[in-house]
Amino acid sequence: RAASRVEELLRQRLDAVGVVDGLGTSLRVPRAEANRRVSDLDREIAYFQAVQDGRKQLYAWDPDHGSLIEMSGDPATATSALFVVPGTNTRAESFFGDEAVTRVAEWETRAGMGAVVSFTVLSGPMPQLSDIPSGGGPQLTTYALERSPEYARFVQGIDATRPDLWTMSYEHSYAGAIGSAAESYGGVVDARFMAATVGAIGPYQPSPETRYFAAQAPDDINRYYAGLSLADLGFSVPPESFPGVQIVDTGLPGLDPENLVIGGPVGIVSDSVKHHNALMSDDESINGPALYSVYSLLLTHGKQF
């Protein structure tokens, strides 16, 4: 399938280059837009060439539905499995290029030295910030309700194939609501690490089979509306309020008063978003406490922390 996709993309690129060079039929397309199209195609081509060559392990892919799951590591030697579920703004394109959404999973796989197999899981369309003006976006619970049974089926599939694996999910941002709702569909893992997540749709009761961990910067953007909900808007159960949850110190700074003076509210929000996104970084100087906490749990199978 990857080889077929590469051939299709190369044909699309040829057409797009023709537009840039003024040779195509769609001459009304602005040159800048055509150049962006070529750049986007190059990133996707490189990704599926890597899949074709075996440098990337594409576990599942349904472009019509908007799902893509990439595996990292060797399941034959693994004793534990990590499921990284990225949140808001994730799409298939998030797997392409140098700043791919798979970096946390790949870091944990490398650190595990053969004992960890990781999956970065996009089971379907996720909320996009760009949808907010039209009434969509991460404030809606609908995406969590749609994705949770899909994620549960993925978790159950891994468990059916390798019931001996100790499993853990690393859920970022909106994905926390997916992991929480998936439990009611049988998507239960041994441990959940909620990285700057929105929490859960209430009413919610944690699974007795799961250990819970939560990590969030002091000024994380989600804290501004944590626990607030109305109908299908918002999430009423903040992650740090889960019964029995263990809080992991992110090491990230809180509100910088200097930024309040210099940038006003915009500066505050900018820092909050930056610290929120830091929990999907593979840079140890930025996200070290979370990376090492997950690493410790994976290698000790949750027996120690």
Side-chain angles (χ1 to χ4, degrees), residues 2 46-59 70-72 95-97 100 102-103 106:
Y47 180 83
F48 282 99
Q49 283 179 332
V51 174
Q52 181 181 355
D53 299 341
R55 290 176 284 120
K56 293 276 189 182
Q57 300 182 84
L58 189 53
Y59 177 84
E70 184 179 323
M71 184 175 76
S72 172
F95 289 76
F96 311 153
T102 56
R103 287 174 294 163
E106 291 168 355

Side-chain angles (χ1 to χ4, degrees), residues 59-60 62 64-69 85 121-126 142-158 178-179 181-183 185-187:
Y59 177 84
D62 184 349
D64 293 331
H65 180 58
S67 61
L68 194 156
I69 301 175
V85 191
V121 183
L122 173 65
S123 68
M126 292 292 286
T142 50
Y143 291 94
L145 297 176
E146 291 170 355
R147 301 287 79 79
S148 53
E150 298 166 351
Y151 181 54
R153 287 194 293 272
F154 163 77
V155 171
Q156 291 171 320
I158 296 295
I178 296 173
E183 292 174 336
Y185 292 97

Side-chain angles (χ1 to χ4, degrees), residues 110-165:
R110 289 193 303 271
M113 296 182 293
V116 176
V117 60
S118 301
F119 300 81
T120 303
V121 183
L122 173 65
S123 68
M126 292 292 286
Q128 307 292 311
L129 290 176
S130 58
D131 293 337
I132 292 178
S134 60
Q139 73 277 11
L140 296 176
T141 61
T142 50
Y143 291 94
L145 297 176
E146 291 170 355
R147 301 287 79 79
S148 53
E150 298 166 351
Y151 181 54
R153 287 194 293 272
F154 163 77
V155 171
Q156 291 171 320
I158 296 295
D159 184 60
T161 306
R162 286 289 306 276
D164 59 306
L165 289 177

Side-chain angles (χ1 to χ4, degrees), residues 91-299:
R91 58 182 75 189
E93 291 84 347
S94 304
F95 289 76
F96 311 153
D98 296 332
E99 299 296 315
V101 76
T102 56
R103 287 174 294 163
V104 167
E106 291 168 355
W107 189 97
E108 297 292 350
T109 298
R110 289 193 303 271
M113 296 182 293
V116 176
V117 60
S118 301
F119 300 81
T120 303
V121 183
L122 173 65
S123 68
M126 292 292 286
Q128 307 292 311
L129 290 176
S130 58
D131 293 337
I132 292 178
S134 60
Q139 73 277 11
L140 296 176
T141 61
T142 50
Y143 291 94
L145 297 176
E146 291 170 355
R147 301 287 79 79
S148 53
E150 298 166 351
Y151 181 54
R153 287 194 293 272
F154 163 77
V155 171
Q156 291 171 320
I158 296 295
D159 184 60
T161 306
R162 286 289 306 276
D164 59 306
L165 289 177
W166 187 85
T167 57
M168 179 179 188
S169 65
Y170 185 96
E171 303 151 13
H172 182 251
S173 188
Y174 191 90
I178 296 173
S180 298
E183 292 174 336
S184 63
Y185 292 97
V188 177
V189 293
D190 292 301
R192 287 178 56 199
F193 194 100
M194 296 173 286
T197 75
V198 295
I201 303 167
Y204 171 73
Q205 184 65 39
S207 167
E209 303 173 37
T210 303
R211 295 178 64 189
Y212 294 85
F213 302 85
Q216 199 169 23
D219 65 339
D220 189 285
I221 189 69
N222 280 345
R223 291 192 186 276
Y224 295 125
Y225 53 89
L228 301 177
S229 65
L230 177 64
D232 61 352
L233 298 175
F235 303 89
S236 59
V237 188
E240 293 180 342
S241 72
F242 282 26
V245 67
Q246 296 184 45
I247 307 300
V248 177
D249 185 357
T250 64
L252 293 165
L255 173 64
D256 186 345
E258 185 176 332
N259 285 348
L260 176 59
V261 175
I262 296 174
V266 174
I268 295 174
V269 172
S270 177
D271 277 356
S272 297
V273 172
K274 178 181 177 182
H275 297 154
H276 175 79
N277 292 334
L279 284 162
M280 276 300 285
S281 174
D282 63 343
D283 186 335
E284 295 166 37
S285 67
I286 296 173
N287 195 28
L291 293 171
Y292 284 115
S293 294
V294 172
Y295 163 79
S296 174
L297 286 161
L298 289 167
L299 290 196

